[in-house]
Amino acid sequence: QVQLVESGGGLVQAGGSLRLFCAASGSIFSINSMGWYRQAPGKQRESVAAISSGGSTSYVDSVKGRFTISRDNAKNTVYLQMNSLKPEDTAVYYCRADVRTSPSLGYSGYWGRGTQVTVSS
């Protein structure tokens, strides 16, 4: 069993910054890709940023140049640095990781519980 726990969300004014953290724990043999998703009330969940085990990154167009995803493999942790925040960034942000729990098994996707980010105008 694997658990992902997000933290770092909160209330910030437009133009401000937040840094999100997601720590994976449990029966972890290895982690491949990790990423951040977000979901606003009444809207579908969307992919925000992803990072491979080797450090390659990708972002949704709306956050390019403002958000930076990074990871610490030794700590099984992924981060999302969010700068120049806009009200439209308001959402619950979820962490996702592709985790291998045993050398005899393949990778499976796991989700965190989410952390609220609210950007006021």
Side-chain angles (χ1 to χ4, degrees):
Q1 183 170 299
V2 176
Q3 299 83 41
L4 302 179
V5 180
E6 304 96 334
S7 62
L11 175 64
V12 65
Q13 293 185 355
S17 298
L18 286 173
R19 185 170 175 83
L20 304 184
F21 304 77
C22 174
S25 62
S27 301
I28 299 173
F29 176 74
S30 63
I31 301 177
N32 194 0
S33 62
M34 305 183 80
W36 290 94
Y37 290 69
R38 66 186 180 188
Q39 187 168 26
K43 297 183 178 180
Q44 66 180 2
R45 186 174 299 185
E46 68 171 346
S47 176
V48 177
I51 184 167
S52 72
S53 61
S56 297
T57 60
S58 61
Y59 302 89
V60 66
D61 286 344
S62 60
V63 309
K64 287 182 178 178
R66 300 189 297 120
F67 291 10
T68 302
I69 188 171
S70 60
R71 64 190 289 171
D72 185 334
N73 291 332
K75 298 179 180 179
N76 292 329
T77 300
V78 63
Y79 311 89
L80 186 66
Q81 178 66 45
M82 304 186 293
N83 298 326
S84 302
L85 283 162
K86 304 175 180 179
E88 51 262 45
D89 295 318
T90 295
V92 176
Y93 283 70
Y94 297 90
C95 176
R96 180 177 179 176
D98 294 324
V99 180
R100 193 175 189 176
T101 59
S102 167
S104 63
L105 299 175
Y107 289 93
S108 296
Y110 293 86
W111 291 90
R113 297 171 296 177
T115 184
Q116 178 71 48
V117 171
T118 302
V119 184
S120 65
S121 60

